[in-house]
């Protein structure tokens, strides 16, 4: 059986092709497999959980494919990259459809409140938060930025499209944040796990650099 | 600093080639879609929009092949529109590598299709394109037109925009049929009226002739993104020049 370097979790939603194509682009010698087979996730060296769509649907499809245990295992034991819903579903609960997540981390997934979107200068911010926003890298009390930020400028722009954001109970999980208009967590890190709200696969050179860092990451 | 305003070059594609022309007349070949897409990506385009204007159904499948090729080489968001009639068309385009699909005439003929597509794939990938024209002697100022601006619908463009968002559109592409191809600037009152009426981002389209028009589209028209074709295709300006100009005029852009 051929070695699987990177498994991309296929739970029947969203545009998985974008993620696998971007990974193949940054790691042409690696085997990238898009799969909904729990066995393959367990065999893979690294796991990427991409995401689009709504969290309740995501959780339902995950269970329908019997993927919950394999994803939880990977998120705790292998180099793991969560993207968008792949970040949100790691938490206990989402306001979107009042859905329960995997509960790996304590915290809530909240909707951007429309009342916060009116700025003092009269402008109105739109929801979904769609487009290129700056990501600031956490230095958690003098600790160097995370290995996945290597080669990426602090404040570099990444592409977002989402209406919900994570609010971790443990602030030290936050590896990066953005502002819209209030500060929100846009990346978390924990041992072998890194997860982001933005879409590195659609974020031009900064995004490709992050994916390349993930492929080489030895947590 | 926060979210940047986006510049989106639009590529009209027919029979596998990018074409340019005014009001779909005198179409001229403007190159291979993959090469053109790569060029705009290198110039710093924030997204790309492909409009499939293929007339015959025989060659419709070509756009899927093109999107597949572009998506494996260009890593920015791709929107595809033109001839999207059913939910299955949306699925095919997303599977080929599109990030968003733009729905125009079908939204008018069958609004439920917008709701179905949004609930199946998520609002984030459903763009509703609205072609609007200024009208007189009506209770509203701008009317929705379909079929490339030839068919009046009797729909108030602002009310229509609100309805599309309620059904699940995650973004609106507003084209002023009065301005398209004129190079006299966006219809900013139309864009402002819609932008103020909905919570989702709007893309202004139709009428760009110079870089100040892009600035006005954001500042006066309230657009979250500006779409342009000819000023970039003809090499008058690069995307980078456009962004630098917008930045000089106080607009936050990705440079």
């Amino acid at each position: 059986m051929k070695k699987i370097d990177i498994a991309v979790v296929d739970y029947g939603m969203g545009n998985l092709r974008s993620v696998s194509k971007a990974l193949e682009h940054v790691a042409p010698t690696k085997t990238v497999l898009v799969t909904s087979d729990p066995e393959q996730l367990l065999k893979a060296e690294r796991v990427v959980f991409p995401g689009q769509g709504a969290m309740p649907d995501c959780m339902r499809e995950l269970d329908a494919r019997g993927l919950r245990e394999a994803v939880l295992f990977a998120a705790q034991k292998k180099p793991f990259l969560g993207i968008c819903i792949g970040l949100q579903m790691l938490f206990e609960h989402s306001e979107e459809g009042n859905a329960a997540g995997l509960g790996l981390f304590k915290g809530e997934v909240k909707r951007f409140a429309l009342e916060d979107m009116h700025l003092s200068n009269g402008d109105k911010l739109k929801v979904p938060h769609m487009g290129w926003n700056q990501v600031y890298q956490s230095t958690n009390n003098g600790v160097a930025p995370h290995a996945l930020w290597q080669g990426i400028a602090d404040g570099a722009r990444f592409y977002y499209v989402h209406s919900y954001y994570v609010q971790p109970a443990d602030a030290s999980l936050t590896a990066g944040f953005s502002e819209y208009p209030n500060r929100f967590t846009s990346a978390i890190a924990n041992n072998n796990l890194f997860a982001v709200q933005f879409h590195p696969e659609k974020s031009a050179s900064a995004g490709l650099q992050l994916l390349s860092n993930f492929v080489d990451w030895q947590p | 600093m926060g979210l940047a305003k986006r510049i989106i070059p639009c590529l009209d594609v027919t029979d596998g080639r990018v074409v340019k022309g005014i009001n779909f007349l005198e179409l001229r070949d403007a190159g291979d879609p993959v090469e053109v897409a790569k060029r705009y990506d290198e110039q710093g385009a924030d997204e790309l929009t492909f409009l499939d204007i293929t007339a015959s159904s025989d060659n419709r499948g070509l756009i899927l092949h093109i999107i597949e090729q572009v998506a494996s080489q260009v890593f920015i968001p791709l929107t595809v529109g033109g001839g999207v009639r059913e939910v299955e068309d949306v699925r095919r385009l997303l599977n080929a590598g599109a990030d968003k699909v733009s729905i125009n005439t079908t939204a008018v003929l069958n609004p439920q299709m917008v709701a179905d597509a949004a609930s199946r794939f998520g609002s984030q990938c459903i763009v509703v394109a609205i072609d609007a024209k200024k009208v007189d002697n009506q209770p509203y100022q701008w009317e929705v037109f379909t079929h490339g601006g030839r068919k009046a619908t009797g729909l108030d463009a602002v009310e229509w925009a609100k309805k599309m968002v309620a059904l699940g559109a995650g973004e609106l592409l507003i084209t002023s049929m009065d301005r398209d191809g004129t190079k006299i600037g966006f219809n900013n009152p139309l864009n402002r009226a819609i932008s103020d009426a909905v919570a989702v981002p709007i893309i202004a389209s139709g009428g760009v002739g110079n870089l100040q028009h892009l600035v006005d589209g954001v500042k006066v028209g309230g657009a979250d993104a500006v779409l342009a074709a000819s000023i970039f295709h003809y090499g008058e300006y690069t995307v980078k020049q456009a962004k630098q100009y917008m930045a000089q005029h106080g607009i936050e852009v990705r440079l």
Side-chain angles (χ1 to χ4, degrees):
Chain A
M1 160 106 215
K2 200 174 170 190
K3 179 163 155 278
I4 305 162
D5 294 308
I6 308 162
V8 178
V9 184
D10 175 9
Y11 54 103
M13 298 184 64
N15 183 5
L16 307 171
R17 187 181 285 270
S18 294
V19 176
S20 62
K21 278 184 169 170
L23 287 165
E24 284 161 7
H25 185 81
V26 298
T29 61
K30 304 283 185 185
T31 309
V32 180
L33 181 74
V34 178
T35 181
S36 57
D37 180 356
E39 291 293 316
Q40 307 277 30
L41 291 191
L42 295 175
K43 281 182 191 146
E45 190 190 321
R46 289 160 201 275
V47 171
V48 177
F49 195 105
Q52 258 188 6
M55 193 165 129
D57 300 332
C58 164
M59 297 308 297
R60 190 188 63 233
E61 295 300 321
L62 207 58
D63 283 333
R65 287 167 171 74
L67 283 165
R68 177 184 287 253
E69 292 308 316
V71 169
L72 268 172
F73 179 82
Q76 294 171 92
K77 300 288 181 199
K78 295 170 187 281
F80 183 96
L81 177 65
I83 299 171
C84 192
I85 296 291
L87 162 68
Q88 297 179 7
M89 60 114 196
L90 299 170
F91 288 83
E92 293 170 300
H93 179 261
S94 175
E95 287 184 357
E96 188 173 21
N98 192 25
L102 292 175
L104 199 57
F105 302 114
K106 288 199 187 311
E108 275 278 309
V109 183
K110 300 178 77 76
R111 193 175 207 281
F112 285 115
L114 287 178
E115 62 267 24
D116 293 342
M117 297 292 124
H118 293 276
L119 306 183
S120 52
N121 65 4
D123 284 352
K124 177 181 74 171
L125 298 180
K126 303 298 184 68
V127 179
H129 172 225
M130 186 185 286
W132 300 77
N133 203 339
Q134 291 184 283
V135 175
Y136 302 98
Q137 301 163 10
S138 299
T139 49
N140 289 331
N141 306 321
V143 180
H146 195 276
L148 263 65
W149 296 130
Q150 198 176 357
I152 299 168
D154 192 20
R157 289 184 186 275
F158 287 84
Y159 185 79
Y160 284 91
V161 49
H162 64 124
S163 301
Y164 295 81
Y165 62 96
V166 299
Q167 207 170 60
D170 176 2
S172 71
L173 274 180
T174 298
F177 61 90
S178 296
E179 292 170 349
Y180 196 67
N182 302 319
R183 178 187 285 208
F184 67 94
T185 294
S186 57
I188 66 164
N190 185 50
N191 303 323
N192 57 299
L193 176 145
F194 198 85
V196 294
Q197 180 59 62
F198 50 82
H199 289 271
E201 76 280 12
K202 286 290 159 185
S203 295
S205 56
L208 295 176
Q209 181 66 51
L210 189 141
L211 292 176
S212 174
N213 292 344
F214 173 71
V215 171
D216 295 333
W217 186 31
Q218 300 296 341
Chain B
M1 299 294 274
L3 187 64
K5 300 297 179 187
R6 290 168 279 154
I7 293 188
I8 309 176
C10 179
L11 288 67
D12 288 344
V13 177
T14 187
D15 298 326
R17 300 289 292 180
V18 179
V19 291
K20 53 192 180 188
I22 293 172
N23 299 330
F24 298 109
L25 299 171
E26 295 177 43
L27 293 179
R28 278 206 288 135
D29 189 276
D32 172 59
V34 180
E35 294 308 314
V36 176
K38 279 164 82 171
R39 188 166 73 232
Y40 288 142
D41 176 33
E42 283 159 15
Q43 291 177 9
D46 295 307
E47 295 185 32
L48 294 173
T49 288
F50 293 83
L51 193 59
D52 183 9
I53 59 167
T54 304
S56 75
S57 54
D58 301 357
N59 287 334
R60 281 246 169 242
L62 271 175
I63 194 75
L64 296 175
H65 185 60
I66 290 166
I67 296 304
E68 276 180 19
Q69 284 184 296
V70 174
S72 58
Q73 296 177 60
V74 173
F75 300 97
I76 57 175
L78 308 175
T79 301
V80 187
V84 178
R85 293 191 177 84
E86 35 192 281
V87 171
E88 186 57 21
D89 294 330
V90 178
R91 192 189 66 81
R92 272 195 289 267
L93 288 166
L94 294 177
N95 280 348
D99 299 283
K100 309 182 208 176
V101 171
S102 167
I103 305 169
N104 190 338
T105 298
T106 301
V108 174
L109 300 179
N110 177 18
Q112 184 58 35
M113 187 274 202
V114 172
D116 292 345
S119 77
R120 180 150 169 213
F121 306 109
S123 289
Q124 83 289 336
C125 64
I126 304 301
V127 182
V128 169
I130 300 176
D131 293 346
K133 253 188 216 180
K134 183 97 172 75
V135 286
D136 297 320
N137 308 316
Q138 294 286 352
Y140 44 80
Q141 286 195 67
W142 301 283
E143 183 170 342
V144 179
F145 279 70
T146 58
H147 299 85
R150 293 190 303 276
K151 269 195 181 172
T153 63
L155 296 164
D156 173 351
V158 178
E159 289 305 312
W160 180 245
K162 285 155 77 174
K163 180 177 176 182
M164 289 297 100
V165 172
L167 286 180
E171 193 172 35
L172 300 173
L173 168 59
I174 316 295
T175 302
S176 162
M177 302 309 290
D178 305 300
R179 301 297 181 100
D180 209 22
T182 63
K183 294 189 159 272
I184 60 171
F186 293 121
N187 187 333
N188 291 316
L190 164 69
N191 294 333
R192 173 57 75 178
I194 293 178
S195 187
D196 285 349
V198 299
V200 305
I202 71 154
I203 306 166
S205 158
V208 176
N210 61 48
L211 301 183
Q212 184 60 37
H213 292 154
L214 301 178
V215 171
D216 294 342
V218 171
K219 288 193 166 176
V220 184
D224 301 283
V226 287
L227 181 137
S230 57
I231 62 162
F232 299 132
H233 291 337
Y234 290 104
E236 287 169 63
Y237 306 101
T238 63
V239 176
K240 190 168 185 194
Q241 285 173 320
K243 285 187 156 183
Q244 284 165 341
Y245 187 88
M246 289 169 80
Q248 282 160 13
H249 289 75
I251 295 173
E252 192 166 349
V253 292
R254 178 179 69 111
L255 283 171

